[in-house]
Amino acid sequence: MIRLGWIPANIDDNSHYPMHQAIADLLETFNPQSCPICMKAKIRFYYTISEFQPKFMIKNGQVRGTVWVWCPNCLHWTHGSGTQLPKSVTYVNELEESEIKKVKGPYIIDNLNRFWEKGRLSESFTVI
């Protein structure tokens, strides 16, 4: 079932900066915090390494990826590209290749949320 109404973080409604701060906080603490917009639910997230790595996304041999964050309560979402995890941190992507293909496209947040609710996405980063 597709859940309509996901709201992209936007400068016009003052959600852009708080949601991007949520990404920064997530990448600093490696634990999801409360949604900065509604404060009623923890943000959910998904980190992926791009299948195509342009040269600007590789720095000092470390690959960069994209982190998606969304709130299941107020439905705000955003993403940050070119994010690099420290070498001491990993994110286990438990999705099969066929499932990853389903994540892409116009319903990406809806698909990610469904995978989260089914327990198919890792709910934390692992600090080694």
Side-chain angles (χ1 to χ4, degrees):
M1 182 175 113
I2 294 174
R3 181 176 183 182
L4 299 177
W6 293 103
I7 306 165
N10 189 314
I11 293 173
D12 295 336
D13 71 0
N14 296 319
S15 63
H16 177 80
Y17 296 111
M19 289 301 283
H20 278 273
Q21 184 60 50
I23 291 174
D25 293 345
L26 176 66
L27 295 174
E28 183 177 321
T29 66
F30 305 109
N31 289 304
Q33 306 296 316
S34 293
C35 171
I37 306 300
C38 70
M39 302 299 288
K40 293 183 178 178
K42 282 191 175 186
I43 60 166
R44 295 177 176 182
F45 66 95
Y46 173 70
Y47 182 82
T48 185
I49 305 236
S50 303
E51 52 191 67
F52 171 69
Q53 291 290 317
K55 288 181 183 178
F56 75 88
M57 290 187 75
I58 301 175
K59 184 177 181 181
N60 300 327
Q62 281 193 292
V63 178
R64 295 174 178 238
T66 300
V67 63
W68 298 85
V69 297
W70 66 96
C71 175
N73 182 64
C74 71
L75 306 182
H76 279 87
W77 67 271
T78 195
H79 77 283
S81 297
T83 56
Q84 182 177 343
L85 298 180
K87 290 183 180 182
S88 63
V89 175
T90 60
Y91 176 78
V92 178
N93 186 344
E94 298 177 5
L95 297 180
E96 303 292 329
E97 187 63 35
S98 62
E99 294 173 313
I100 291 173
K101 289 179 182 179
K102 291 178 184 177
V103 167
K104 300 173 184 174
Y107 302 111
I108 187 166
I109 299 300
D110 198 62
N111 289 333
L112 287 173
N113 194 59
R114 271 186 288 158
F115 283 127
W116 185 283
E117 290 178 348
K118 291 179 181 178
R120 299 288 295 133
L121 298 182
S122 181
E123 295 184 21
S124 65
F125 290 92
T126 301
V127 180
I128 302 169

Short mmCIF file of all heavy atoms in Angstrom, two decimals, residues 45-46 70 91-95 103 111-124:
data_model
loop_
_atom_site.label_atom_id
_atom_site.label_comp_id
_atom_site.label_asym_id
_atom_site.label_seq_id
_atom_site.Cartn_x
_atom_site.Cartn_y
_atom_site.Cartn_z
N PHE A 45 15.98 5.99 8.96
CA PHE A 45 17.03 6.32 8.00
C PHE A 45 17.45 5.10 7.20
O PHE A 45 17.23 3.97 7.58
CB PHE A 45 18.24 6.93 8.71
CG PHE A 45 18.93 5.94 9.62
CD1 PHE A 45 20.01 5.21 9.18
CD2 PHE A 45 18.47 5.74 10.92
CE1 PHE A 45 20.63 4.30 10.01
CE2 PHE A 45 19.09 4.83 11.76
CZ PHE A 45 20.18 4.11 11.30
N TYR A 46 18.10 5.40 6.08
CA TYR A 46 18.65 4.38 5.21
C TYR A 46 19.90 4.96 4.59
O TYR A 46 19.90 6.08 4.08
CB TYR A 46 17.64 4.01 4.13
CG TYR A 46 18.17 3.06 3.07
CD1 TYR A 46 18.43 1.74 3.37
CD2 TYR A 46 18.36 3.50 1.76
CE1 TYR A 46 18.90 0.86 2.40
CE2 TYR A 46 18.82 2.63 0.79
CZ TYR A 46 19.09 1.32 1.11
OH TYR A 46 19.54 0.45 0.15
N TRP A 70 13.56 10.15 7.34
CA TRP A 70 12.15 10.50 7.26
C TRP A 70 11.51 10.29 8.61
O TRP A 70 12.00 9.56 9.46
CB TRP A 70 11.44 9.68 6.18
CG TRP A 70 11.35 8.21 6.44
CD1 TRP A 70 10.30 7.54 7.00
CD2 TRP A 70 12.35 7.21 6.15
NE1 TRP A 70 10.58 6.19 7.07
CE2 TRP A 70 11.84 5.97 6.56
CE3 TRP A 70 13.63 7.26 5.60
CZ2 TRP A 70 12.55 4.78 6.42
CZ3 TRP A 70 14.35 6.08 5.47
CH2 TRP A 70 13.81 4.87 5.87
N TYR A 91 27.34 0.34 8.19
CA TYR A 91 25.89 0.24 8.10
C TYR A 91 25.62 -1.01 7.29
O TYR A 91 26.06 -1.13 6.15
CB TYR A 91 25.27 1.46 7.43
CG TYR A 91 23.77 1.35 7.24
CD1 TYR A 91 22.92 1.56 8.30
CD2 TYR A 91 23.23 1.00 6.01
CE1 TYR A 91 21.54 1.45 8.14
CE2 TYR A 91 21.86 0.88 5.85
CZ TYR A 91 21.03 1.11 6.92
OH TYR A 91 19.66 1.00 6.76
N VAL A 92 24.92 -1.94 7.88
CA VAL A 92 24.64 -3.20 7.20
C VAL A 92 23.35 -3.04 6.41
O VAL A 92 22.28 -2.81 6.98
CB VAL A 92 24.52 -4.36 8.21
CG1 VAL A 92 24.17 -5.65 7.49
CG2 VAL A 92 25.80 -4.51 9.01
N ASN A 93 23.48 -3.14 5.11
CA ASN A 93 22.31 -3.08 4.24
C ASN A 93 21.82 -4.51 4.05
O ASN A 93 22.47 -5.31 3.41
CB ASN A 93 22.67 -2.45 2.90
CG ASN A 93 21.47 -2.24 2.03
OD1 ASN A 93 20.40 -2.80 2.27
ND2 ASN A 93 21.61 -1.42 1.01
N GLU A 94 20.67 -4.81 4.63
CA GLU A 94 20.16 -6.18 4.61
C GLU A 94 19.23 -6.47 3.44
O GLU A 94 18.68 -7.56 3.34
CB GLU A 94 19.45 -6.47 5.94
CG GLU A 94 20.39 -6.36 7.12
CD GLU A 94 19.71 -6.56 8.46
OE1 GLU A 94 18.51 -6.87 8.48
OE2 GLU A 94 20.39 -6.40 9.46
N LEU A 95 19.06 -5.50 2.56
CA LEU A 95 18.17 -5.70 1.43
C LEU A 95 18.85 -6.52 0.34
O LEU A 95 20.05 -6.39 0.10
CB LEU A 95 17.72 -4.36 0.84
CG LEU A 95 16.91 -3.45 1.74
CD1 LEU A 95 16.56 -2.17 1.00
CD2 LEU A 95 15.65 -4.14 2.25
N VAL A 103 13.52 0.18 -4.13
CA VAL A 103 13.66 1.40 -3.33
C VAL A 103 13.72 2.62 -4.22
O VAL A 103 13.22 3.67 -3.89
CB VAL A 103 14.94 1.31 -2.45
CG1 VAL A 103 15.29 2.65 -1.86
CG2 VAL A 103 14.75 0.29 -1.35
N ASN A 111 8.61 3.28 -0.04
CA ASN A 111 9.22 1.95 -0.09
C ASN A 111 10.17 1.73 1.07
O ASN A 111 10.17 0.67 1.70
CB ASN A 111 9.94 1.75 -1.43
CG ASN A 111 8.97 1.60 -2.57
OD1 ASN A 111 7.85 1.15 -2.40
ND2 ASN A 111 9.39 2.00 -3.75
N LEU A 112 11.00 2.75 1.37
CA LEU A 112 11.92 2.62 2.50
C LEU A 112 11.16 2.43 3.81
O LEU A 112 11.52 1.61 4.64
CB LEU A 112 12.82 3.86 2.60
CG LEU A 112 13.90 3.98 1.54
CD1 LEU A 112 14.60 5.32 1.65
CD2 LEU A 112 14.90 2.84 1.64
N ASN A 113 10.08 3.18 3.98
CA ASN A 113 9.30 3.07 5.21
C ASN A 113 8.69 1.68 5.35
O ASN A 113 8.66 1.10 6.44
CB ASN A 113 8.22 4.15 5.27
CG ASN A 113 7.63 4.27 6.64
OD1 ASN A 113 8.35 4.54 7.62
ND2 ASN A 113 6.33 4.06 6.76
N ARG A 114 8.22 1.11 4.26
CA ARG A 114 7.67 -0.24 4.30
C ARG A 114 8.73 -1.26 4.67
O ARG A 114 8.49 -2.16 5.49
CB ARG A 114 7.01 -0.61 2.98
CG ARG A 114 5.52 -0.20 2.98
CD ARG A 114 4.83 -0.68 1.77
NE ARG A 114 5.38 0.18 0.72
CZ ARG A 114 5.39 -0.11 -0.56
NH1 ARG A 114 4.90 -1.21 -0.99
NH2 ARG A 114 5.89 0.70 -1.45
N PHE A 115 9.92 -1.12 4.10
CA PHE A 115 11.02 -2.03 4.46
C PHE A 115 11.38 -1.86 5.94
O PHE A 115 11.68 -2.83 6.62
CB PHE A 115 12.25 -1.79 3.58
CG PHE A 115 12.13 -2.38 2.20
CD1 PHE A 115 12.35 -1.61 1.08
CD2 PHE A 115 11.81 -3.72 2.03
CE1 PHE A 115 12.25 -2.17 -0.19
CE2 PHE A 115 11.71 -4.29 0.78
CZ PHE A 115 11.93 -3.50 -0.35
N TRP A 116 11.35 -0.61 6.43
CA TRP A 116 11.65 -0.36 7.85
C TRP A 116 10.63 -1.07 8.74
O TRP A 116 10.98 -1.75 9.70
CB TRP A 116 11.65 1.14 8.12
CG TRP A 116 12.06 1.50 9.51
CD1 TRP A 116 11.30 1.40 10.65
CD2 TRP A 116 13.33 2.00 9.94
NE1 TRP A 116 12.01 1.82 11.75
CE2 TRP A 116 13.27 2.19 11.34
CE3 TRP A 116 14.50 2.32 9.27
CZ2 TRP A 116 14.34 2.68 12.07
CZ3 TRP A 116 15.56 2.81 10.00
CH2 TRP A 116 15.47 2.98 11.39
N GLU A 117 9.35 -0.91 8.40
CA GLU A 117 8.29 -1.51 9.21
C GLU A 117 8.32 -3.04 9.17
O GLU A 117 7.87 -3.68 10.11
CB GLU A 117 6.93 -0.95 8.79
CG GLU A 117 6.79 0.50 9.21
CD GLU A 117 5.49 1.14 8.79
OE1 GLU A 117 4.74 0.56 7.97
OE2 GLU A 117 5.23 2.26 9.28
N LYS A 118 8.86 -3.60 8.10
CA LYS A 118 8.99 -5.06 8.01
C LYS A 118 10.28 -5.55 8.67
O LYS A 118 10.55 -6.74 8.66
CB LYS A 118 8.98 -5.50 6.54
CG LYS A 118 7.64 -5.33 5.85
CD LYS A 118 7.76 -5.76 4.41
CE LYS A 118 6.44 -5.59 3.68
NZ LYS A 118 6.56 -5.96 2.26
N GLY A 119 11.08 -4.62 9.22
CA GLY A 119 12.33 -5.00 9.86
C GLY A 119 13.44 -5.34 8.87
O GLY A 119 14.40 -6.01 9.22
N ARG A 120 13.33 -4.85 7.65
CA ARG A 120 14.31 -5.17 6.60
C ARG A 120 15.46 -4.17 6.53
O ARG A 120 16.42 -4.38 5.81
CB ARG A 120 13.62 -5.26 5.24
CG ARG A 120 12.56 -6.34 5.16
CD ARG A 120 13.12 -7.75 5.15
NE ARG A 120 13.89 -7.94 3.93
CZ ARG A 120 15.10 -8.49 3.89
NH1 ARG A 120 15.68 -8.92 4.97
NH2 ARG A 120 15.74 -8.61 2.75
N LEU A 121 15.35 -3.03 7.26
CA LEU A 121 16.41 -2.03 7.27
C LEU A 121 17.08 -2.01 8.63
O LEU A 121 16.41 -2.11 9.66
CB LEU A 121 15.87 -0.63 6.93
CG LEU A 121 15.25 -0.44 5.58
CD1 LEU A 121 14.80 1.02 5.41
CD2 LEU A 121 16.21 -0.82 4.47
N SER A 122 18.38 -1.84 8.63
CA SER A 122 19.12 -1.74 9.88
C SER A 122 18.73 -0.46 10.60
O SER A 122 18.64 0.61 9.99
CB SER A 122 20.62 -1.74 9.58
OG SER A 122 21.35 -1.66 10.77
N GLU A 123 18.44 -0.57 11.88
CA GLU A 123 17.98 0.58 12.65
C GLU A 123 19.11 1.32 13.35
O GLU A 123 18.89 2.23 14.13
CB GLU A 123 16.92 0.15 13.66
CG GLU A 123 15.67 -0.35 12.99
CD GLU A 123 14.56 -0.69 13.97
OE1 GLU A 123 14.58 -0.18 15.09
OE2 GLU A 123 13.68 -1.46 13.58
N SER A 124 20.35 0.91 13.07
CA SER A 124 21.49 1.61 13.68
C SER A 124 22.75 1.36 12.87
O SER A 124 22.81 0.45 12.05
CB SER A 124 21.70 1.16 15.12
OG SER A 124 22.06 -0.20 15.15
#
